[in-house]
Amino acid sequence: MQNKTRPHVVVIGAGFGGLRAARAVAKYADRVTLIDRTNHHTFQPLLYQVATAGLSPGEIAAPIRWIVRRDENIEVLLGEVRDFDLQRKVIKLSDMEIGYDYLIVGAGATHAYFGHDNWEPFAPGLKSLEDAVEMRRRILLTFELAERRAANGEGQMQLNFVVVGGGPTGVELAGTLAEITHKVLAHEFHSIDPKRTRIILLEGGPRVLPAFAEDMSQSAQKQLERLGVEVHTSALVTRIEPGAVYMGETRMPTAVTLWAAGVAASPLGKKLGAPVDRAGRVLVSPDLSIPGHPEVFVIGDLAALKDENGKWLPGVAPVAMQEGAAVAKNIRRDREGKPRRNFQYFDKGILATIGRAAGVGQIRKLHISGYPAWLAWLFVHIFFLIGFRNRILVLVQWAWSYITFERGARLITGSNKLPGWTELEKEQAPPVDAEHEFSASRRSAR
Amino acid sequence: MQNKTRPHVVVIGAGFGGLRAARAVAKYADRVTLIDRTNHHTFQPLLYQVATAGLSPGEIAAPIRWIVRRDENIEVLLGEVRDFDLQRKVIKLSDMEIGYDYLIVGAGATHAYFGHDNWEPFAPGLKSLEDAVEMRRRILLTFELAERRAANGEGQMQLNFVVVGGGPTGVELAGTLAEITHKVLAHEFHSIDPKRTRIILLEGGPRVLPAFAEDMSQSAQKQLERLGVEVHTSALVTRIEPGAVYMGETRMPTAVTLWAAGVAASPLGKKLGAPVDRAGRVLVSPDLSIPGHPEVFVIGDLAALKDENGKWLPGVAPVAMQEGAAVAKNIRRDREGKPRRNFQYFDKGILATIGRAAGVGQIRKLHISGYPAWLAWLFVHIFFLIGFRNRILVLVQWAWSYITFERGARLITGSNKLPGWTELEKEQAPPVDAEHEFSASRRSAR
């Protein structure tokens, strides 16, 4: 059955780019080995929904094996790639090496703290399911602990939820947080008043959503403020500690701090030996291969490439997916003896949502905001979920979540400890498991 | 608004008994304080479905605050009760005391290892959502690691899944495991053959489901064997270590060991100062109060009481719920100056399911097995979920899960480490979090 003229392709990472590349190239390959650190593909654009208890982890993730179950020549392996030997054409895991004819690296990015990794325990980021569940745990647990203190006659705690970073993730987190605290949780507590919660969005630059046009940024800020979010621009965070965020001399007390400010590419990028930019992204050739190694491609958030206007391509799902498809096509052209084509990004527009019925969108020259932008966002995301989950079931579940503010998603799992709530730690800490609390965020920072 | 003649009732534990008691007594009480260690009520009879990746955690749990959101005089507190002072009528948490007029203790039970607590890391039990997710992690990860070894030319691993304990939980786990491995996962792996997986159920007594009649036990064993489960009765486990279970001199190699053999009551029972049985259950008076303290009741798995035939009442949801309702009624009778009534259990029957279309059931004299028992089980469980989640949505979701073998539930979250797979631990272990792996099971063993 094996065709010796067909290549063995190894794909690292089952994100949007890696999955698309693996499934597209499987048609021309002898076999494809798809390696990921987890057993599931995560629908990253909806992680903020899990973090704010709108959706459950199982609703935005699917096992990789299940997704490629009909692609019979795709072999899925759970594992973490440690290194490469591009001369010998092998990738290295701790206990095995895997040879390849072509290598496609889509190892992605994780959140980064600009050299302040010590901030992470006090301001978790959002790149994996575990991260999202950790954010959810902190948000929900903060209300529980505040309620208990108030019930014990210790008065009202300050309940400042601070989101650092005004990009799409920060805007989505802040908007949804405002809704859940002011609309949902408001009715379920007796001793505290969740409506007194302050949701504060800190953006270091002059405006939120800097990747959008200026009128879109202004609209987004207005929509956020309408939901009750306090938006601070040109607010550069210089220090984070338990219970406080500093902007220079200004100290802002916090109950929960969420990090949405920076990403860094996977450290695997540097190990390829190709030039990288400051964020660790690999400076790829126009065909997405790396210099001197036409058989090695880098795609998605790990790749740095400019479009025809000299602008860096953004780290979003459509770029990664189109890159994955383009790489597969070039591998086919190689086999057919045709010259490769340079990657060209077809920009369908960008969308960001703000809470449950607001958002902004830029589709080429068209700028939309408010409810239409939110509707567009909804349909684009459901469209993306085709083949991922049943479209009708997703609609039913989302409609349900939308109407009821899904309860099952509001679970606190794991430890009952929070940084900055020292008195309660004595009681709530699991006896042997002092390390548990930050494990989710630590893991993703590897 | 407050009525001084109405009591303040404190309820510990939001399981089936505690929830029922709190909601029923709220009608006659000034206020009710409902305390639980978690923020959610767990539908325990379906935990095995989460453990075997059939349902997601959010589908079998709901926030306590949400459940009682319309009972305005129920105050929900997240916290762990440490001790009691029955003289002063207060319960003690680490940082606060709460007074009561009536106290209802429904703190439940956890899995127990008959004095072999050192077995827990190698044979997790099933009493909480965290436990279920840990079981799921081990089951799914074992297949991933075996696949990777086989892909690396290290040959086929033995894949023995051993369930210790032939009660309802053990039977349900073994039956569902057989189905998922032989029917679902079989198609998704390339290098290993999940059909070669052995599912082994070890029961120390002479028959499985000892709480059922003998013909039901025989039927259950036959149905299990038809699904491919190897059932060993009179198989008393004497030692558990990573990769093996011992029955005396007999050593059985294992890939995953699951514990479904024993439960012990919450340690809170002993702190009440009332007599307890060997499993730590409180020997309550016929009205469910404890000797010398008519204002203190114990219900559910923490209570030990005999029925009119001198048989101990089983630790199942219907007993707990009826006890909760009975206690609420007796509190009302106290306020009305009427004498209390002794608790009488109305036995509607018992059901156990075996995989997706089999089971056994005893409804008084009626013994059913196979598909009818499974159907009865399904309807009883959906009926119980009324008011818990929307009935139609549950039906849709379950039908969906039934048809597709729900994919979202098949997530591996947390560490990629497994005991007994030492070579891979080097790679898969999160760097700082050596304690993470067993945290879920440890927590519930407090």
Side-chain angles (χ1 to χ4, degrees):
Chain A
M1 282 293 286
Q2 292 207 345
N3 184 339
K4 293 272 175 192
T5 70
R6 290 179 156 214
H8 173 210
V9 181
V10 169
V11 179
I12 300 172
F16 288 105
L19 260 186
R20 174 64 66 93
R23 300 191 70 180
V25 85
K27 299 187 186 81
Y28 325 116
D30 174 43
R31 63 195 176 98
V32 176
T33 303
L34 177 57
I35 302 174
D36 198 283
R37 292 194 306 184
T38 74
N39 82 324
H40 49 274
H41 169 74
T42 307
F43 199 84
Q44 283 198 7
L46 290 176
L47 274 178
Y48 82 96
Q49 285 275 357
V50 174
T52 51
L55 293 171
S56 290
E59 289 171 345
I60 68 153
I64 299 161
R65 283 189 194 287
W66 177 83
I67 296 172
V68 302
R69 70 198 177 284
R70 296 205 182 91
D71 304 282
E72 288 185 2
N73 62 341
I74 299 184
E75 173 189 38
V76 178
L77 281 190
L78 177 79
E80 191 168 356
V81 176
R82 292 280 179 95
D83 209 347
F84 306 96
D85 186 335
L86 300 188
Q87 269 19 76
R88 286 171 50 224
K89 292 190 181 175
V90 295
I91 63 164
K92 297 176 179 184
L93 284 72
S94 71
D95 58 338
M96 67 192 283
E97 294 186 343
I98 300 173
Y100 61 81
D101 299 313
Y102 286 98
L103 175 64
I104 303 172
V105 185
T110 185
H111 47 274
Y113 293 84
F114 312 127
H116 298 283
D117 284 351
N118 55 321
W119 293 354
E120 182 165 32
F122 321 122
L126 188 63
K127 269 291 172 183
S128 69
L129 277 187
E130 282 90 347
D131 293 346
V133 170
E134 172 64 12
M135 277 197 181
R136 181 180 78 179
R137 190 182 75 83
R138 292 190 186 209
I139 294 163
L140 297 176
L141 200 49
T142 296
F143 285 108
E144 293 293 340
L145 299 182
E147 171 83 356
R148 191 166 134 186
R149 285 196 180 178
N152 196 27
E154 297 174 55
Q156 298 285 321
M157 303 297 302
Q158 61 85 1
L159 284 175
N160 292 357
F161 288 76
V162 173
V163 178
V164 183
T169 300
V171 166
E172 285 161 350
L173 276 175
T176 320
L177 256 180
E179 284 196 331
I180 191 177
T181 54
H182 298 158
K183 292 185 187 165
V184 187
L185 300 177
H187 310 292
E188 295 187 2
F189 288 85
H190 291 210
S191 303
I192 59 167
D193 181 2
K195 287 188 186 168
R196 288 178 47 188
T197 307
R198 288 173 63 193
I199 314 290
I200 299 152
L201 179 63
L202 303 179
E203 163 59 36
R207 58 190 178 96
V208 299
L209 298 180
F212 285 68
E214 265 199 69
D215 61 322
M216 294 283 90
S217 295
Q218 284 168 17
S219 169
Q221 180 162 348
K222 262 185 217 148
Q223 293 181 62
L224 282 167
E225 286 164 352
R226 213 172 295 141
L227 285 172
V229 177
E230 303 171 32
V231 181
H232 298 258
T233 50
S234 304
L236 202 65
V237 170
T238 52
R239 190 176 152 204
I240 298 178
E241 59 180 37
V245 159
Y246 294 81
M247 289 148 287
E249 298 296 301
T250 311
R251 179 183 188 276
M252 175 171 291
T254 62
V256 173
T257 309
L258 304 177
W259 183 259
V263 293
S266 159
L268 276 186
K270 290 198 183 90
K271 298 209 167 157
L272 285 168
V276 295
D277 71 5
R278 263 181 49 199
R281 297 186 306 166
V282 178
L283 299 161
V284 291
S285 307
D287 66 350
L288 297 164
S289 69
I290 63 173
H293 287 282
E295 77 283 5
V296 178
F297 298 92
V298 181
I299 59 174
D301 290 1
L302 186 56
L305 185 68
K306 285 179 177 167
D307 67 13
E308 61 261 48
N309 304 319
K311 261 188 74 177
W312 293 106
L313 292 173
V316 295
V319 171
M321 293 170 85
Q322 290 180 31
E323 288 177 345
V327 164
K329 272 186 197 146
N330 273 336
I331 290 175
R332 183 178 62 170
R333 295 179 72 83
D334 281 2
R335 309 305 298 175
E336 292 169 347
K338 294 178 186 163
R340 289 185 180 183
R341 287 198 179 138
N342 290 344
F343 175 68
Q344 278 214 309
Y345 177 52
F346 178 71
D347 185 0
K348 293 174 192 157
I350 44 178
L351 286 162
T353 177
I354 303 161
R356 303 203 142 216
V360 292
Q362 259 173 253
I363 297 122
R364 297 173 178 270
K365 296 281 169 209
L366 180 69
H367 291 191
I368 53 174
S369 63
Y371 194 70
W374 180 81
L375 264 188
W377 176 89
L378 187 72
F379 280 100
V380 165
H381 282 79
I382 286 172
F383 181 79
F384 264 124
L385 282 166
I386 296 171
F388 178 70
R389 293 195 101 194
N390 178 291
R391 223 190 317 185
I392 292 160
L393 190 81
V394 170
L395 265 176
V396 168
Q397 284 195 330
W398 285 22
W400 180 252
S401 301
Y402 185 77
I403 296 161
T404 61
F405 285 92
E406 174 77 63
R407 308 160 308 272
R410 291 217 303 280
L411 304 178
I412 299 174
T413 52
S415 151
N416 278 354
K417 275 199 306 180
L418 276 185
W421 297 80
T422 40
E423 312 93 289
L424 286 171
E425 288 188 17
K426 285 198 296 280
E427 172 183 355
Q428 303 287 348
V432 242
D433 186 33
E435 295 295 327
H436 183 81
E437 182 177 9
F438 306 130
S439 62
S441 38
R442 272 187 190 143
R443 267 195 86 215
S444 60
R446 267 182 288 186
Chain B
M1 283 291 286
Q2 291 207 346
N3 183 338
K4 292 271 177 194
T5 70
R6 290 181 157 214
H8 173 210
V9 182
V10 170
V11 180
I12 300 172
F16 288 105
L19 261 186
R20 174 64 66 92
R23 300 191 72 181
V25 85
K27 299 187 186 80
Y28 325 117
D30 173 43
R31 62 193 178 98
V32 176
T33 304
L34 176 57
I35 303 174
D36 198 283
R37 292 195 305 185
T38 74
N39 81 325
H40 49 275
H41 168 73
T42 307
F43 199 84
Q44 283 197 7
L46 290 176
L47 274 177
Y48 82 96
Q49 285 275 357
V50 174
T52 52
L55 294 171
S56 289
E59 289 171 345
I60 68 154
I64 300 161
R65 283 189 194 287
W66 177 82
I67 297 173
V68 302
R69 69 199 177 285
R70 296 205 182 90
D71 304 282
E72 288 185 2
N73 61 341
I74 299 183
E75 174 189 37
V76 178
L77 281 189
L78 178 78
E80 191 168 355
V81 176
R82 292 283 180 93
D83 209 347
F84 306 96
D85 186 335
L86 301 188
Q87 268 22 75
R88 288 171 49 225
K89 291 191 183 176
V90 295
I91 64 164
K92 297 177 178 182
L93 283 72
S94 71
D95 58 338
M96 66 192 283
E97 294 188 343
I98 300 172
Y100 61 82
D101 298 313
Y102 285 98
L103 175 64
I104 303 172
V105 186
T110 184
H111 47 273
Y113 293 83
F114 312 128
H116 298 282
D117 284 352
N118 56 320
W119 292 354
E120 183 164 31
F122 322 122
L126 187 63
K127 270 290 172 184
S128 70
L129 277 188
E130 282 91 347
D131 293 346
V133 170
E134 171 64 11
M135 276 196 182
R136 180 180 78 179
R137 190 183 74 83
R138 292 190 185 209
I139 293 164
L140 298 175
L141 200 49
T142 296
F143 285 109
E144 294 294 340
L145 299 182
E147 172 84 355
R148 191 166 136 187
R149 285 195 180 178
N152 196 28
E154 296 175 56
Q156 298 285 320
M157 303 297 301
Q158 60 85 2
L159 284 173
N160 292 358
F161 289 75
V162 173
V163 178
V164 184
T169 301
V171 165
E172 285 162 351
L173 277 174
T176 320
L177 256 179
E179 285 196 331
I180 191 176
T181 54
H182 297 157
K183 292 186 187 165
V184 187
L185 301 177
H187 309 294
E188 295 187 0
F189 289 85
H190 290 210
S191 303
I192 59 166
D193 181 2
K195 287 186 185 168
R196 287 177 48 188
T197 308
R198 287 173 63 193
I199 315 292
I200 300 152
L201 179 63
L202 303 179
E203 163 58 37
R207 59 191 177 96
V208 298
L209 298 180
F212 285 68
E214 266 200 67
D215 62 321
M216 294 283 90
S217 295
Q218 283 169 17
S219 169
Q221 180 162 347
K222 261 185 218 149
Q223 293 181 60
L224 282 167
E225 286 166 351
R226 212 173 295 142
L227 285 172
V229 177
E230 302 172 32
V231 181
H232 298 258
T233 51
S234 304
L236 202 65
V237 170
T238 52
R239 191 177 153 202
I240 298 178
E241 59 181 36
V245 159
Y246 293 81
M247 289 148 289
E249 298 295 301
T250 312
R251 178 182 189 276
M252 176 172 290
T254 62
V256 173
T257 308
L258 304 177
W259 184 259
V263 293
S266 158
L268 276 186
K270 289 197 184 88
K271 299 208 167 156
L272 285 168
V276 296
D277 70 5
R278 263 181 49 199
R281 299 185 305 166
V282 178
L283 299 161
V284 292
S285 307
D287 67 349
L288 298 163
S289 69
I290 63 173
H293 287 280
E295 76 283 5
V296 178
F297 298 92
V298 181
I299 59 174
D301 291 1
L302 186 56
L305 185 67
K306 284 179 178 168
D307 66 13
E308 61 261 48
N309 305 319
K311 264 188 72 177
W312 292 105
L313 292 173
V316 296
V319 170
M321 294 170 87
Q322 290 180 31
E323 288 177 345
V327 164
K329 272 187 196 148
N330 273 337
I331 290 175
R332 184 177 62 170
R333 295 179 72 83
D334 281 2
R335 310 304 299 174
E336 293 169 346
K338 294 178 186 163
R340 289 186 180 181
R341 286 198 178 139
N342 290 345
F343 175 67
Q344 277 214 310
Y345 177 52
F346 177 70
D347 184 0
K348 293 175 192 156
I350 43 177
L351 287 161
T353 177
I354 303 161
R356 303 203 142 215
V360 291
Q362 256 173 255
I363 297 121
R364 296 175 178 268
K365 295 282 170 208
L366 180 70
H367 291 191
I368 53 174
S369 63
Y371 195 69
W374 180 82
L375 264 188
W377 176 90
L378 188 71
F379 281 101
V380 165
H381 283 80
I382 287 172
F383 181 80
F384 265 124
L385 283 166
I386 297 172
F388 177 72
R389 292 196 99 193
N390 179 291
R391 223 191 315 186
I392 291 160
L393 190 81
V394 170
L395 264 176
V396 168
Q397 284 195 331
W398 284 23
W400 180 254
S401 301
Y402 184 79
I403 295 161
T404 61
F405 285 92
E406 174 77 62
R407 307 160 308 272
R410 290 217 304 280
L411 304 178
I412 298 174
T413 52
S415 151
N416 278 355
K417 274 199 307 179
L418 277 184
W421 297 79
T422 40
E423 312 92 289
L424 286 171
E425 289 188 15
K426 285 197 297 277
E427 170 181 357
Q428 303 286 348
V432 243
D433 186 33
E435 295 296 325
H436 181 80
E437 183 179 6
F438 306 130
S439 61
S441 39
R442 270 186 190 145
R443 266 194 89 216
S444 60
R446 267 181 289 186

